[in-house]
Amino acid sequence: SIEITSKPTGLVVSTNGVQIGKTPITLQELRPAKYNLTVSDGENDLMAQIHVGPKENAKHDFAFRYGMIQLTSTPPGATVVRKGREVGKTPVTLKHIPAGESAIELRLAGYVFTNFAFVGVADTTTSYTVSLVSEQYLADLSEARKAATGSDYSHALAKINDALKIYPDNADALQLQKDY
């Protein structure tokens, strides 16, 4: 058998993608084998492989430890997507974040989609600020490089100036301006 407990209690237990109950639960009359178990709080999962030998009673306690993430973006208003679901717009506080590494995606029209990894710390609120990159800025720099390749330096400089209107102190654009 495997006795499965959790903190908090009431987590959904599954094996091989099939739900088998909620914690606390005891799985009885099992064949000796390795069992891959997952518990879920509805948003987050914990997994464990439990080996059960002949006439053995195994126990496993799953424990979620949560923190919070305060997330801002420059510019604000980006849609935050976690595990394929929209969870808010920046600035936002994400609660119920398990301790450990997680990832989100930020989406804002006119800006490059950004995948962002962060670390949740149990019983702590951690703040992150993400700077989004303007698609227009990237297009201006790309066009400037293309124009310079064709020796059209006046057009290249004009596009660099356009890029600098978006990000006035950007080191890449300033270096290209010096180069051309």
Side-chain angles (χ1 to χ4, degrees):
S1 69
I2 303 174
E3 181 183 333
I4 304 165
T5 56
S6 69
K7 293 179 189 85
T9 60
L11 301 179
V12 174
V13 180
S14 61
T15 183
N16 299 323
V18 177
Q19 290 185 11
I20 54 177
K22 291 186 177 185
T23 60
I25 187 172
T26 301
L27 308 177
Q28 298 184 17
E29 298 181 21
L30 300 175
R31 294 181 182 190
K34 290 181 182 175
Y35 292 87
N36 294 314
L37 299 174
T38 303
V39 295
S40 175
D41 65 2
E43 274 186 55
N44 308 294
D45 298 331
L46 288 175
M47 293 173 257
Q49 187 177 72
I50 318 260
H51 183 303
V52 178
K55 298 182 183 182
E56 184 177 79
N57 296 319
K59 293 182 179 185
H60 191 80
D61 183 44
F62 289 92
F64 276 105
R65 299 204 39 174
Y66 299 105
M68 293 193 309
I69 301 294
Q70 287 182 333
L71 184 63
T72 58
S73 68
T74 304
T79 299
V80 180
V81 178
R82 183 166 183 257
K83 295 186 176 184
R85 234 178 58 221
E86 288 186 16
V87 293
K89 292 191 181 293
T90 58
V92 66
T93 299
L94 304 175
K95 301 176 182 176
H96 215 62
I97 300 296
E101 191 169 306
S102 294
I104 55 166
E105 183 176 314
L106 297 175
R107 300 177 183 171
L108 184 62
Y111 292 83
V112 178
F113 286 2
T114 303
N115 290 314
F116 178 72
F118 62 88
V119 177
V121 179
D123 305 319
T124 302
T125 300
T126 308
S127 296
Y128 290 95
T129 299
V130 180
S131 294
L132 303 176
V133 178
S134 164
E135 291 173 344
Q136 185 61 54
Y137 166 81
L138 293 176
D140 288 341
L141 283 188
S142 176
E143 193 172 332
R145 287 184 177 107
K146 185 177 177 181
T149 301
S151 299
D152 186 355
Y153 294 109
S154 62
H155 184 65
L157 287 171
K159 293 315 287 179
I160 291 169
N161 286 333
D162 289 346
L164 286 168
K165 288 176 188 170
I166 298 169
Y167 298 123
D169 298 322
N170 183 270
D172 291 336
L174 290 169
Q175 184 61 50
L176 283 177
Q177 189 179 43
K178 285 181 186 177
D179 292 346
Y180 301 151

